[in-house]
Amino acid sequence: MRARKSKHRFLTLDELSPTVHLAACFKWKRERNRYRIPSHHILLIESGKLEAKIPGGSFDAKAGDLICFRPADWNEYGARNEAVVYEAHLEFASPPKHRLTPSLDEFGPLPLHVPMGDAFDEMRRVFEVFCIEITQPGALHRLRLRSAVHEMLAILVSVLKHEDRGVKHLDPWQRARLRLDSELRGECNIGQLAREMSLSRRYFSRV
């Protein structure tokens, strides 16, 4: 009697330690590609249409869409005509968790197919970082690749939430309030704070 397989587990966001193994931009010409890759295979379609198949089914994807193939015995895709596609092969964690798919908290596991909509240009910039940094040795470029993977996931979550994707920054007054709160027990140089905001000390104090 065979033992029952354990329930599939997903990576939590705290477990992420991504590694990008390959990144490229290529033109795909009316061919089908059936393959097995032990890592995740992420495709961003810039133009054209793709027909994709996985062990669980099939779907079509068009320009502006992101496809997230998970590690499997086989995956397959092909172009109906000509397509321009960005791709990245990556693992989201080190062995023995390298084949696990991340869970995006309340949104569940990394989705297979996501239309990027207005976020397409932002996602394409992430893939451009993949393509540039993957060829460079050293800690700086490895860290930039890891950062780009986290940015890719952040963009995906913002698309799933249908929210503004811009990174929020403090306005000057919020920044000043933080400084004041942190220095309540010590001496606070109001003149210095005012100069940092390009304001007169009198106006700063009044506001």
Short mmCIF file of all heavy atoms in Angstrom, two decimals, residues 81-142:
data_model
loop_
_atom_site.label_atom_id
_atom_site.label_comp_id
_atom_site.label_asym_id
_atom_site.label_seq_id
_atom_site.Cartn_x
_atom_site.Cartn_y
_atom_site.Cartn_z
N ASN A 81 1.15 33.30 -33.55
CA ASN A 81 1.89 33.94 -34.64
C ASN A 81 3.29 34.20 -34.13
O ASN A 81 4.00 33.29 -33.75
CB ASN A 81 1.18 35.23 -35.09
CG ASN A 81 -0.17 34.96 -35.72
OD1 ASN A 81 -0.22 34.29 -36.74
ND2 ASN A 81 -1.24 35.46 -35.12
N GLU A 82 3.67 35.46 -34.08
CA GLU A 82 4.97 35.82 -33.53
C GLU A 82 4.75 36.56 -32.22
O GLU A 82 3.88 37.42 -32.12
CB GLU A 82 5.74 36.70 -34.51
CG GLU A 82 7.16 37.02 -34.09
CD GLU A 82 7.89 37.79 -35.17
OE1 GLU A 82 7.80 39.03 -35.15
OE2 GLU A 82 8.55 37.15 -36.02
N ALA A 83 5.55 36.24 -31.23
CA ALA A 83 5.40 36.86 -29.91
C ALA A 83 6.76 37.30 -29.39
O ALA A 83 7.78 36.65 -29.66
CB ALA A 83 4.75 35.90 -28.93
N VAL A 84 6.77 38.42 -28.67
CA VAL A 84 7.97 38.87 -27.98
C VAL A 84 7.72 38.67 -26.48
O VAL A 84 6.72 39.14 -25.94
CB VAL A 84 8.29 40.35 -28.28
CG1 VAL A 84 9.47 40.83 -27.43
CG2 VAL A 84 8.56 40.53 -29.76
N VAL A 85 8.64 37.94 -25.85
CA VAL A 85 8.42 37.48 -24.48
C VAL A 85 9.66 37.72 -23.62
O VAL A 85 10.78 37.44 -24.05
CB VAL A 85 8.07 35.97 -24.46
CG1 VAL A 85 7.83 35.49 -23.04
CG2 VAL A 85 6.86 35.69 -25.33
N TYR A 86 9.46 38.23 -22.41
CA TYR A 86 10.50 38.25 -21.39
C TYR A 86 10.34 36.99 -20.55
O TYR A 86 9.22 36.54 -20.30
CB TYR A 86 10.36 39.46 -20.47
CG TYR A 86 10.76 40.77 -21.09
CD1 TYR A 86 9.84 41.53 -21.81
CD2 TYR A 86 12.06 41.27 -20.94
CE1 TYR A 86 10.21 42.75 -22.37
CE2 TYR A 86 12.43 42.49 -21.48
CZ TYR A 86 11.50 43.22 -22.20
OH TYR A 86 11.86 44.42 -22.75
N GLU A 87 11.45 36.42 -20.09
CA GLU A 87 11.35 35.24 -19.25
C GLU A 87 12.38 35.28 -18.14
O GLU A 87 13.42 35.94 -18.24
CB GLU A 87 11.55 33.96 -20.05
CG GLU A 87 12.97 33.73 -20.53
CD GLU A 87 13.17 32.34 -21.12
OE1 GLU A 87 12.35 31.45 -20.84
OE2 GLU A 87 14.16 32.16 -21.85
N ALA A 88 12.07 34.58 -17.06
CA ALA A 88 13.01 34.40 -15.95
C ALA A 88 12.77 33.02 -15.35
O ALA A 88 11.63 32.62 -15.15
CB ALA A 88 12.83 35.48 -14.90
N HIS A 89 13.86 32.29 -15.10
CA HIS A 89 13.80 31.03 -14.37
C HIS A 89 14.33 31.32 -12.97
O HIS A 89 15.46 31.81 -12.82
CB HIS A 89 14.66 29.97 -15.03
CG HIS A 89 14.21 29.60 -16.42
ND1 HIS A 89 14.88 28.70 -17.21
CD2 HIS A 89 13.16 30.01 -17.16
CE1 HIS A 89 14.28 28.58 -18.38
NE2 HIS A 89 13.22 29.37 -18.36
N LEU A 90 13.55 31.01 -11.98
CA LEU A 90 13.99 31.35 -10.62
C LEU A 90 13.46 30.38 -9.59
O LEU A 90 12.47 29.67 -9.81
CB LEU A 90 13.59 32.79 -10.28
CG LEU A 90 12.11 33.15 -10.35
CD1 LEU A 90 11.44 32.95 -9.00
CD2 LEU A 90 11.93 34.59 -10.80
N GLU A 91 14.16 30.35 -8.47
CA GLU A 91 13.72 29.63 -7.28
C GLU A 91 13.44 30.66 -6.20
O GLU A 91 14.18 31.64 -6.06
CB GLU A 91 14.79 28.65 -6.82
CG GLU A 91 15.03 27.52 -7.81
CD GLU A 91 16.24 26.66 -7.45
OE1 GLU A 91 17.04 27.10 -6.59
OE2 GLU A 91 16.38 25.58 -8.03
N PHE A 92 12.39 30.43 -5.44
CA PHE A 92 12.00 31.40 -4.41
C PHE A 92 12.63 31.10 -3.05
O PHE A 92 12.49 31.88 -2.13
CB PHE A 92 10.48 31.45 -4.28
CG PHE A 92 9.81 32.11 -5.45
CD1 PHE A 92 9.25 31.35 -6.47
CD2 PHE A 92 9.75 33.50 -5.55
CE1 PHE A 92 8.63 31.97 -7.56
CE2 PHE A 92 9.14 34.11 -6.63
CZ PHE A 92 8.58 33.34 -7.64
N ALA A 93 13.31 29.96 -2.95
CA ALA A 93 13.99 29.60 -1.70
C ALA A 93 15.11 28.64 -2.01
O ALA A 93 15.20 28.08 -3.12
CB ALA A 93 13.01 28.98 -0.71
N SER A 94 15.98 28.44 -1.06
CA SER A 94 17.09 27.51 -1.21
C SER A 94 16.62 26.08 -0.96
O SER A 94 15.59 25.87 -0.31
CB SER A 94 18.21 27.86 -0.22
OG SER A 94 18.66 29.19 -0.43
N PRO A 95 17.35 25.07 -1.46
CA PRO A 95 17.00 23.68 -1.15
C PRO A 95 16.96 23.46 0.37
O PRO A 95 17.73 24.10 1.09
CB PRO A 95 18.15 22.89 -1.79
CG PRO A 95 18.65 23.77 -2.89
CD PRO A 95 18.50 25.17 -2.35
N PRO A 96 16.05 22.64 0.86
CA PRO A 96 15.16 21.74 0.12
C PRO A 96 13.81 22.36 -0.28
O PRO A 96 12.92 21.66 -0.75
CB PRO A 96 14.94 20.61 1.12
CG PRO A 96 14.98 21.31 2.45
CD PRO A 96 16.00 22.40 2.31
N LYS A 97 13.63 23.68 -0.11
CA LYS A 97 12.34 24.32 -0.39
C LYS A 97 12.30 24.98 -1.77
O LYS A 97 11.37 25.72 -2.08
CB LYS A 97 12.05 25.38 0.68
CG LYS A 97 11.98 24.83 2.09
CD LYS A 97 11.76 25.94 3.10
CE LYS A 97 11.71 25.41 4.52
NZ LYS A 97 11.53 26.48 5.52
N HIS A 98 13.29 24.69 -2.61
CA HIS A 98 13.46 25.43 -3.86
C HIS A 98 12.34 25.19 -4.87
O HIS A 98 12.16 26.00 -5.78
CB HIS A 98 14.81 25.09 -4.49
CG HIS A 98 15.01 23.62 -4.72
ND1 HIS A 98 15.12 22.72 -3.69
CD2 HIS A 98 15.11 22.91 -5.88
CE1 HIS A 98 15.29 21.51 -4.19
NE2 HIS A 98 15.26 21.60 -5.50
N ARG A 99 11.59 24.11 -4.74
CA ARG A 99 10.50 23.84 -5.69
C ARG A 99 9.15 24.37 -5.19
O ARG A 99 8.15 24.25 -5.89
CB ARG A 99 10.41 22.35 -5.98
CG ARG A 99 11.56 21.83 -6.82
CD ARG A 99 11.49 20.32 -6.99
NE ARG A 99 10.30 19.89 -7.69
CZ ARG A 99 10.17 19.80 -9.01
NH1 ARG A 99 11.19 20.15 -9.78
NH2 ARG A 99 9.06 19.38 -9.55
N LEU A 100 9.13 24.93 -4.00
CA LEU A 100 7.88 25.42 -3.44
C LEU A 100 7.51 26.78 -4.03
O LEU A 100 8.36 27.61 -4.33
CB LEU A 100 7.97 25.53 -1.92
CG LEU A 100 8.18 24.22 -1.15
CD1 LEU A 100 8.20 24.50 0.35
CD2 LEU A 100 7.11 23.20 -1.49
N THR A 101 6.21 27.00 -4.16
CA THR A 101 5.65 28.24 -4.69
C THR A 101 5.28 29.17 -3.53
O THR A 101 4.72 28.71 -2.54
CB THR A 101 4.41 27.94 -5.54
OG1 THR A 101 4.80 27.15 -6.67
CG2 THR A 101 3.74 29.21 -6.03
N PRO A 102 5.57 30.46 -3.64
CA PRO A 102 5.22 31.37 -2.54
C PRO A 102 3.71 31.60 -2.44
O PRO A 102 3.00 31.61 -3.44
CB PRO A 102 5.95 32.66 -2.90
CG PRO A 102 6.16 32.60 -4.36
CD PRO A 102 6.32 31.15 -4.70
N SER A 103 3.28 31.79 -1.22
CA SER A 103 1.90 32.20 -0.96
C SER A 103 1.90 33.69 -0.68
O SER A 103 2.71 34.18 0.11
CB SER A 103 1.32 31.44 0.24
OG SER A 103 0.05 31.95 0.57
N LEU A 104 1.01 34.42 -1.34
CA LEU A 104 0.91 35.87 -1.18
C LEU A 104 -0.14 36.22 -0.13
O LEU A 104 -1.06 36.99 -0.37
CB LEU A 104 0.58 36.51 -2.53
CG LEU A 104 1.52 36.14 -3.69
CD1 LEU A 104 1.06 36.78 -4.99
CD2 LEU A 104 2.96 36.54 -3.37
N ASP A 105 0.01 35.62 1.03
CA ASP A 105 -0.89 35.84 2.17
C ASP A 105 -2.35 35.68 1.76
O ASP A 105 -2.74 34.61 1.31
CB ASP A 105 -0.63 37.21 2.79
CG ASP A 105 0.70 37.24 3.56
OD1 ASP A 105 1.30 36.16 3.74
OD2 ASP A 105 1.14 38.32 3.96
N GLU A 106 -3.15 36.75 1.89
CA GLU A 106 -4.59 36.62 1.66
C GLU A 106 -4.96 36.29 0.22
O GLU A 106 -6.09 35.90 -0.07
CB GLU A 106 -5.33 37.89 2.10
CG GLU A 106 -5.04 39.13 1.25
CD GLU A 106 -3.88 39.96 1.76
OE1 GLU A 106 -2.97 39.39 2.39
OE2 GLU A 106 -3.90 41.18 1.52
N PHE A 107 -4.00 36.42 -0.71
CA PHE A 107 -4.29 36.14 -2.12
C PHE A 107 -3.93 34.71 -2.52
O PHE A 107 -4.12 34.32 -3.66
CB PHE A 107 -3.56 37.13 -3.02
CG PHE A 107 -3.97 38.54 -2.77
CD1 PHE A 107 -3.17 39.38 -2.01
CD2 PHE A 107 -5.17 39.03 -3.25
CE1 PHE A 107 -3.55 40.68 -1.75
CE2 PHE A 107 -5.56 40.33 -3.00
CZ PHE A 107 -4.75 41.16 -2.24
N GLY A 108 -3.41 33.95 -1.59
CA GLY A 108 -3.10 32.56 -1.88
C GLY A 108 -1.80 32.41 -2.65
O GLY A 108 -1.00 33.33 -2.76
N PRO A 109 -1.59 31.21 -3.24
CA PRO A 109 -0.34 30.95 -3.95
C PRO A 109 -0.18 31.81 -5.20
O PRO A 109 -1.16 32.31 -5.76
CB PRO A 109 -0.43 29.46 -4.31
CG PRO A 109 -1.89 29.15 -4.26
CD PRO A 109 -2.48 30.03 -3.22
N LEU A 110 1.06 31.98 -5.61
CA LEU A 110 1.38 32.74 -6.82
C LEU A 110 0.48 32.28 -7.97
O LEU A 110 0.47 31.11 -8.33
CB LEU A 110 2.85 32.47 -7.18
CG LEU A 110 3.43 33.23 -8.37
CD1 LEU A 110 3.58 34.71 -8.04
CD2 LEU A 110 4.79 32.64 -8.75
N PRO A 111 -0.31 33.19 -8.55
CA PRO A 111 -1.26 32.78 -9.59
C PRO A 111 -0.56 32.39 -10.87
O PRO A 111 0.54 32.85 -11.18
CB PRO A 111 -2.14 34.02 -9.79
CG PRO A 111 -1.31 35.16 -9.30
CD PRO A 111 -0.42 34.62 -8.22
N LEU A 112 -1.22 31.52 -11.64
CA LEU A 112 -0.64 31.02 -12.87
C LEU A 112 -0.66 32.06 -13.99
O LEU A 112 0.28 32.15 -14.79
CB LEU A 112 -1.40 29.77 -13.31
CG LEU A 112 -0.99 29.12 -14.62
CD1 LEU A 112 0.43 28.57 -14.52
CD2 LEU A 112 -1.97 28.02 -15.01
N HIS A 113 -1.72 32.85 -14.06
CA HIS A 113 -1.92 33.76 -15.20
C HIS A 113 -2.52 35.06 -14.68
O HIS A 113 -3.59 35.05 -14.05
CB HIS A 113 -2.86 33.08 -16.21
CG HIS A 113 -3.21 33.93 -17.37
ND1 HIS A 113 -4.42 33.81 -18.04
CD2 HIS A 113 -2.55 34.94 -18.00
CE1 HIS A 113 -4.47 34.70 -19.02
NE2 HIS A 113 -3.35 35.39 -19.01
N VAL A 114 -1.83 36.18 -14.93
CA VAL A 114 -2.30 37.48 -14.43
C VAL A 114 -2.22 38.52 -15.55
O VAL A 114 -1.13 38.81 -16.05
CB VAL A 114 -1.46 37.98 -13.24
CG1 VAL A 114 -2.01 39.30 -12.72
CG2 VAL A 114 -1.40 36.95 -12.14
N PRO A 115 -3.33 39.10 -15.99
CA PRO A 115 -3.28 40.26 -16.89
C PRO A 115 -2.75 41.46 -16.11
O PRO A 115 -3.32 41.84 -15.08
CB PRO A 115 -4.74 40.46 -17.32
CG PRO A 115 -5.43 39.16 -16.98
CD PRO A 115 -4.71 38.63 -15.78
N MET A 116 -1.67 42.09 -16.59
CA MET A 116 -1.01 43.14 -15.82
C MET A 116 -1.68 44.50 -15.97
O MET A 116 -1.52 45.37 -15.11
CB MET A 116 0.46 43.25 -16.23
CG MET A 116 1.28 42.00 -15.95
SD MET A 116 1.13 41.42 -14.24
CE MET A 116 1.71 42.86 -13.36
N GLY A 117 -2.43 44.73 -17.04
CA GLY A 117 -3.10 46.00 -17.21
C GLY A 117 -2.14 47.17 -17.19
O GLY A 117 -1.08 47.15 -17.82
N ASP A 118 -2.48 48.21 -16.41
CA ASP A 118 -1.65 49.41 -16.33
C ASP A 118 -0.30 49.16 -15.68
O ASP A 118 0.59 50.01 -15.75
CB ASP A 118 -2.38 50.50 -15.56
CG ASP A 118 -3.61 51.01 -16.30
OD1 ASP A 118 -3.67 50.82 -17.53
OD2 ASP A 118 -4.50 51.58 -15.65
N ALA A 119 -0.13 48.00 -15.04
CA ALA A 119 1.14 47.70 -14.35
C ALA A 119 2.16 47.04 -15.28
O ALA A 119 3.25 46.71 -14.84
CB ALA A 119 0.89 46.78 -13.16
N PHE A 120 1.81 46.89 -16.57
CA PHE A 120 2.71 46.17 -17.47
C PHE A 120 4.09 46.82 -17.56
O PHE A 120 5.12 46.15 -17.46
CB PHE A 120 2.11 46.04 -18.87
CG PHE A 120 3.07 45.41 -19.85
CD1 PHE A 120 3.24 44.05 -19.89
CD2 PHE A 120 3.81 46.20 -20.71
CE1 PHE A 120 4.14 43.45 -20.77
CE2 PHE A 120 4.73 45.63 -21.60
CZ PHE A 120 4.88 44.25 -21.62
N ASP A 121 4.13 48.14 -17.77
CA ASP A 121 5.42 48.82 -17.92
C ASP A 121 6.28 48.66 -16.66
O ASP A 121 7.50 48.48 -16.75
CB ASP A 121 5.22 50.30 -18.23
CG ASP A 121 4.71 50.53 -19.64
OD1 ASP A 121 4.88 49.63 -20.49
OD2 ASP A 121 4.13 51.61 -19.89
N GLU A 122 5.63 48.72 -15.52
CA GLU A 122 6.35 48.56 -14.26
C GLU A 122 6.94 47.14 -14.15
O GLU A 122 8.08 46.95 -13.73
CB GLU A 122 5.40 48.84 -13.10
CG GLU A 122 6.07 49.02 -11.77
CD GLU A 122 5.08 49.43 -10.69
OE1 GLU A 122 3.87 49.56 -10.98
OE2 GLU A 122 5.54 49.63 -9.55
N MET A 123 6.14 46.14 -14.56
CA MET A 123 6.63 44.77 -14.52
C MET A 123 7.74 44.55 -15.55
O MET A 123 8.71 43.83 -15.29
CB MET A 123 5.47 43.79 -14.76
CG MET A 123 5.88 42.34 -14.61
SD MET A 123 6.43 41.89 -12.94
CE MET A 123 4.85 41.68 -12.11
N ARG A 124 7.62 45.17 -16.71
CA ARG A 124 8.67 45.02 -17.72
C ARG A 124 10.00 45.57 -17.20
O ARG A 124 11.06 44.99 -17.46
CB ARG A 124 8.28 45.74 -19.01
CG ARG A 124 9.34 45.64 -20.11
CD ARG A 124 8.82 46.16 -21.43
NE ARG A 124 8.30 47.50 -21.29
CZ ARG A 124 7.59 48.12 -22.25
NH1 ARG A 124 7.34 47.48 -23.39
NH2 ARG A 124 7.15 49.35 -22.07
N ARG A 125 9.95 46.66 -16.44
CA ARG A 125 11.19 47.20 -15.86
C ARG A 125 11.84 46.19 -14.92
O ARG A 125 13.08 46.10 -14.84
CB ARG A 125 10.91 48.52 -15.14
CG ARG A 125 10.70 49.69 -16.10
CD ARG A 125 10.74 51.03 -15.37
NE ARG A 125 9.56 51.23 -14.53
CZ ARG A 125 8.44 51.77 -14.95
NH1 ARG A 125 8.31 52.15 -16.21
NH2 ARG A 125 7.42 51.94 -14.12
N VAL A 126 11.03 45.41 -14.21
CA VAL A 126 11.58 44.37 -13.34
C VAL A 126 12.33 43.34 -14.18
O VAL A 126 13.44 42.92 -13.83
CB VAL A 126 10.46 43.69 -12.53
CG1 VAL A 126 10.97 42.44 -11.83
CG2 VAL A 126 9.88 44.66 -11.50
N PHE A 127 11.72 42.92 -15.29
CA PHE A 127 12.37 41.93 -16.14
C PHE A 127 13.62 42.50 -16.81
O PHE A 127 14.59 41.77 -17.07
CB PHE A 127 11.39 41.38 -17.18
CG PHE A 127 10.51 40.30 -16.63
CD1 PHE A 127 9.40 40.60 -15.85
CD2 PHE A 127 10.80 38.96 -16.87
CE1 PHE A 127 8.61 39.60 -15.33
CE2 PHE A 127 10.01 37.96 -16.36
CZ PHE A 127 8.91 38.27 -15.58
N GLU A 128 13.63 43.78 -17.08
CA GLU A 128 14.84 44.41 -17.62
C GLU A 128 15.97 44.36 -16.59
O GLU A 128 17.13 44.14 -16.94
CB GLU A 128 14.54 45.85 -18.05
CG GLU A 128 13.66 45.92 -19.30
CD GLU A 128 13.15 47.33 -19.59
OE1 GLU A 128 13.32 48.22 -18.71
OE2 GLU A 128 12.58 47.53 -20.67
N VAL A 129 15.61 44.55 -15.31
CA VAL A 129 16.62 44.41 -14.25
C VAL A 129 17.15 42.98 -14.23
O VAL A 129 18.36 42.75 -14.13
CB VAL A 129 16.02 44.79 -12.88
CG1 VAL A 129 16.99 44.43 -11.75
CG2 VAL A 129 15.68 46.27 -12.84
N PHE A 130 16.25 41.99 -14.34
CA PHE A 130 16.70 40.60 -14.41
C PHE A 130 17.73 40.42 -15.53
O PHE A 130 18.79 39.82 -15.33
CB PHE A 130 15.51 39.66 -14.69
CG PHE A 130 14.54 39.49 -13.56
CD1 PHE A 130 13.24 39.10 -13.81
CD2 PHE A 130 14.92 39.71 -12.25
CE1 PHE A 130 12.34 38.92 -12.77
CE2 PHE A 130 14.02 39.54 -11.20
CZ PHE A 130 12.72 39.14 -11.47
N CYS A 131 17.39 40.91 -16.72
CA CYS A 131 18.24 40.70 -17.89
C CYS A 131 19.60 41.38 -17.74
O CYS A 131 20.62 40.85 -18.20
CB CYS A 131 17.54 41.21 -19.15
SG CYS A 131 16.08 40.25 -19.63
N ILE A 132 19.63 42.55 -17.11
CA ILE A 132 20.88 43.29 -16.95
C ILE A 132 21.74 42.70 -15.83
O ILE A 132 22.94 42.43 -16.01
CB ILE A 132 20.59 44.77 -16.67
CG1 ILE A 132 19.96 45.43 -17.90
CG2 ILE A 132 21.88 45.51 -16.27
CD1 ILE A 132 19.42 46.81 -17.64
N GLU A 133 21.13 42.45 -14.69
CA GLU A 133 21.91 42.05 -13.51
C GLU A 133 22.35 40.59 -13.56
O GLU A 133 23.36 40.24 -12.94
CB GLU A 133 21.08 42.30 -12.24
CG GLU A 133 20.66 43.75 -12.04
CD GLU A 133 21.84 44.69 -11.87
OE1 GLU A 133 22.94 44.25 -11.50
OE2 GLU A 133 21.64 45.91 -12.12
N ILE A 134 21.64 39.72 -14.30
CA ILE A 134 21.98 38.30 -14.31
C ILE A 134 23.36 38.05 -14.89
O ILE A 134 24.02 37.05 -14.58
CB ILE A 134 20.91 37.50 -15.12
CG1 ILE A 134 21.06 36.00 -14.90
CG2 ILE A 134 20.99 37.82 -16.60
CD1 ILE A 134 20.66 35.52 -13.54
N THR A 135 23.85 38.97 -15.72
CA THR A 135 25.15 38.78 -16.38
C THR A 135 26.31 39.30 -15.54
O THR A 135 27.47 39.10 -15.92
CB THR A 135 25.18 39.49 -17.75
OG1 THR A 135 25.03 40.91 -17.54
CG2 THR A 135 24.05 38.99 -18.64
N GLN A 136 26.02 39.96 -14.43
CA GLN A 136 27.06 40.62 -13.66
C GLN A 136 27.41 39.82 -12.40
O GLN A 136 26.51 39.37 -11.68
CB GLN A 136 26.61 42.03 -13.24
CG GLN A 136 26.16 42.90 -14.40
CD GLN A 136 27.29 43.18 -15.37
OE1 GLN A 136 28.43 43.42 -14.97
NE2 GLN A 136 26.96 43.15 -16.65
N PRO A 137 28.71 39.64 -12.11
CA PRO A 137 29.10 38.92 -10.89
C PRO A 137 29.12 39.86 -9.69
O PRO A 137 29.17 41.08 -9.83
CB PRO A 137 30.51 38.44 -11.22
CG PRO A 137 31.05 39.50 -12.14
CD PRO A 137 29.86 39.98 -12.95
N GLY A 138 29.09 39.28 -8.51
CA GLY A 138 29.28 40.07 -7.30
C GLY A 138 28.03 40.24 -6.47
O GLY A 138 26.90 40.06 -6.94
N ALA A 139 28.25 40.64 -5.21
CA ALA A 139 27.17 40.76 -4.24
C ALA A 139 26.14 41.81 -4.64
O ALA A 139 24.93 41.63 -4.46
CB ALA A 139 27.75 41.09 -2.87
N LEU A 140 26.60 42.95 -5.18
CA LEU A 140 25.69 44.03 -5.54
C LEU A 140 24.62 43.55 -6.51
O LEU A 140 23.43 43.81 -6.34
CB LEU A 140 26.48 45.19 -6.15
CG LEU A 140 25.65 46.35 -6.72
CD1 LEU A 140 24.84 47.03 -5.62
CD2 LEU A 140 26.56 47.36 -7.42
N HIS A 141 25.04 42.81 -7.54
CA HIS A 141 24.10 42.37 -8.58
C HIS A 141 23.20 41.24 -8.08
O HIS A 141 22.03 41.16 -8.46
CB HIS A 141 24.89 41.98 -9.82
CG HIS A 141 25.78 43.07 -10.31
ND1 HIS A 141 25.30 44.20 -10.92
CD2 HIS A 141 27.13 43.24 -10.22
CE1 HIS A 141 26.30 45.02 -11.21
NE2 HIS A 141 27.42 44.45 -10.79
N ARG A 142 23.73 40.38 -7.22
CA ARG A 142 22.89 39.33 -6.63
C ARG A 142 21.79 39.96 -5.78
O ARG A 142 20.64 39.52 -5.81
CB ARG A 142 23.74 38.39 -5.78
CG ARG A 142 24.65 37.46 -6.58
CD ARG A 142 25.48 36.61 -5.66
NE ARG A 142 24.64 35.79 -4.80
CZ ARG A 142 25.06 35.18 -3.69
NH1 ARG A 142 26.30 35.35 -3.28
NH2 ARG A 142 24.24 34.44 -2.99
#
